[in-house]
Amino acid sequence: QVQLVESGGGLVQAGGSLRLSCVASGNIRSIDIMGWYRQAPGNQRRELVAEITSGGTTNSADSVKGRFTISRNNAENTVYLQMSSLNSEDTAVYFCYVRGYTNWNTDFHSWGRGTQVTVSS
């Protein structure tokens, strides 16, 4: 079983910055993808914000390009999301997502519980 613990959400004024962190622990042999999704108020769908492979290749939504930066520490199974120039449309619950393999050589997909990011105008 793999557990994800997110931190770093909160209330910030428009134009401000926040840094999210997510640590994965448990039965982990390797992690391929680490990423962040978000779910805006009143929206039932989670959208990809950014993701990063074990080799450092990143992919991000057009709406956050140039403002958000994703990074990871493979040795500590941690992924970060540095968010800058935040605006009201970034208000959402942010979920950490991790995909990899367990010590039993089975694949796993895990989600964090989510951390609230609220941007005030």
Side-chain angles (χ1 to χ4, degrees):
Q1 190 172 359
V2 177
Q3 298 83 36
L4 304 182
V5 177
E6 300 139 327
S7 61
L11 175 64
V12 63
Q13 287 188 333
S17 300
L18 278 177
R19 188 192 196 207
L20 305 183
S21 301
C22 173
V23 181
S25 63
N27 185 5
I28 299 171
R29 179 173 66 86
S30 63
I31 295 177
D32 293 337
I33 300 289
M34 303 187 85
W36 293 92
Y37 284 70
R38 67 186 180 186
Q39 186 169 359
N43 193 338
Q44 292 186 336
R45 187 177 66 89
R46 293 181 186 180
E47 64 171 2
L48 173 68
V49 178
E51 61 185 0
I52 183 169
T53 70
S54 57
T57 300
T58 62
N59 176 42
S60 59
D62 289 341
S63 60
V64 306
K65 280 185 167 68
R67 300 189 299 123
F68 292 10
T69 301
I70 189 168
S71 61
R72 66 189 275 179
N73 182 323
N74 290 331
E76 297 183 356
N77 290 338
T78 302
V79 61
Y80 304 97
L81 185 68
Q82 178 66 48
M83 305 184 292
S84 303
S85 301
L86 286 160
N87 59 60
S88 59
E89 293 184 349
D90 297 315
T91 294
V93 178
Y94 285 70
F95 296 89
C96 178
Y97 169 76
V98 173
R99 188 180 79 199
Y101 291 89
T102 70
N103 292 309
W104 303 325
N105 287 327
T106 57
D107 64 318
F108 71 86
H109 302 250
S110 291
W111 290 91
R113 292 186 174 182
T115 184
Q116 177 70 46
V117 171
T118 302
V119 183
S120 63
S121 56

